[in-house]
Amino acid sequence: MAMPTERVILGSIGVIIAAMCNAGMILTLQRTPQPISKTEQVFIQNCFGGLVFLPVFLRDVVNVSPVRTGISIIMAVIVGVVGFALFFSALRKIPTGQAAILSYIEIVFTLIIATLFLNEHYTPIQWFGGFLIVLGSVGAQVIQRPMPRQHPRD
């Protein structure tokens, strides 16, 4: 079995930290004392995301072609505006835990899209892992039962 390269390890650490930050943002937005509209949530998400990536953008802005700029703008609108608007709208309708469980399906969609459009290949065990993610997500939704409420005794 091949050992992961330093690049793969650093990339994995980055994804884990990003997931932790995203979870923190979701919990923060869910627990605000005054409700924040989904438009404000999308605005906040994109502004902070833009600020975080501004140094990287400024470093590479000299090498960016107009075609890549156009593609980046389209991706920003699709993911940054449409995707987050739908996500934050859903967060207002379902519990945070349920949203977290359903968000694991993102991994499976990534596998499928990478296979279809990027010609990436995965091992059977990776596909089985994706299947288990879907099964677990669906199972958690189907099996989920509300906890009984404790009623004070009179």
Side-chain angles (χ1 to χ4, degrees), residues 117-137:
F117 297 107
L118 302 177
N119 202 27
E120 292 188 10
H121 302 282
Y122 298 99
T123 64
I125 195 74
Q126 290 171 314
W127 283 111
F128 183 68
F131 169 75
L132 289 177
I133 290 170
V134 171
L135 184 66
S137 295

Side-chain angles (χ1 to χ4, degrees), residues 46-116:
N46 286 308
C47 281
F48 284 120
L51 288 175
V52 168
F53 286 105
L54 188 61
V56 175
F57 175 75
L58 292 176
R59 181 193 71 196
D60 294 336
V61 74
V62 178
N63 301 326
V64 177
S65 71
V67 172
R68 284 185 171 226
T69 302
I71 291 171
S72 297
I73 290 170
I74 292 168
M75 294 280 296
V77 169
I78 292 171
V79 175
V81 177
V82 175
F84 280 116
L86 291 170
F87 183 73
F88 290 129
S89 177
L91 275 180
R92 295 168 57 136
K93 295 173 177 67
I94 62 175
T96 307
Q98 188 176 1
I101 290 167
L102 288 172
S103 69
Y104 284 112
I105 295 176
E106 174 185 340
I107 299 164
V108 178
F109 282 118
T110 303
L111 282 172
I112 293 168
I113 291 169
T115 300
L116 294 175

